Structure formats: structure tokens, C-alpha cells
Amino acid sequence: MASKVLHIVVVFNGMKWLPQLVDSVQASGTGDVWAIDHGSTDGSWEWLTQRLPESERQQGPNHGFGSGNNRGLEEAIRRGVDAVHLLNQDAKVDPQG
């Protein structure tokens, strides 16, 4: 059985990268994207609301990259996933793993 991974991304004005990032994670088939938006003004949040289910996105104040990842790690623990993958918003996941 394949491991279930939660791919965590902290977003701040990352609209130019989000489609490629989310598409790459989904194409990898390794798990879900969980995004926290830190007050973007470039349409990132609106795009996330159209593209990810409510359970896969959150919006909150910008307390920094580490704080956003910590919120994602709390979500991963709550879900009981096998692994987490902390991603920068400009990253891509290799579909070959």
C-alpha cells in the first residue's frame, strides 16, 4: 500500500506558481495539497477556493513561513498521514516521486 503524504504549502502572493504546484502534486498521486494563505492580494486565495476543497485550504494572518508550516503539521497529525512534504510555493513535485 502506498504511503499517504500531505503536501503543505504556505502561500503569500504566489498566484504565478500555484497552478503548476497544485497540478504537479495531483499528478504525482502521492497525497493531498494543504495550503495556508497568509493574506495574498494577487488572487491566490480566490484561486485556491476554486481549486481546492475547503478541507484543503485555510486563510490566516501572516505570522511567517514557520508558523504556516506548523499549522500544516498540526493538520497532518490530525489526519494521521504517513508523511509530510513541506513545499515552497514556487516548487513542483516530480510525478515519478
Side-chain angles (χ1 to χ4, degrees):
M1 181 165 100
S3 296
K4 182 71 170 177
V5 178
L6 186 62
H7 301 270
I8 299 167
V9 60
V10 179
V11 177
F12 181 73
N13 290 336
M15 188 58 229
K16 65 182 174 181
W17 301 294
L18 284 176
Q20 188 170 295
L21 168 67
V22 171
D23 288 347
S24 74
V25 171
Q26 291 173 340
S28 77
T30 57
D32 297 321
V33 176
W34 185 88
I36 181 163
D37 182 82
H38 276 173
S40 294
T41 59
D42 69 344
S44 294
W45 177 247
E46 292 78 12
W47 187 86
L48 288 168
T49 63
Q50 296 297 312
R51 192 65 191 271
L52 297 179
E54 190 172 350
S55 62
E56 304 302 328
R57 58 184 156 78
Q58 217 177 74
Q59 192 174 37
N62 190 345
H63 291 297
F65 185 72
S67 175
N69 280 320
N70 285 341
R71 289 176 72 184
L73 291 170
E74 290 168 357
E75 179 66 16
I77 291 167
R78 186 186 70 73
R79 292 182 186 199
V81 298
D82 298 314
V84 296
H85 188 193
L86 303 176
L87 292 165
N88 289 329
Q89 63 186 5
D90 62 345
K92 289 189 303 185
V93 174
D94 183 343
Q96 303 302 312

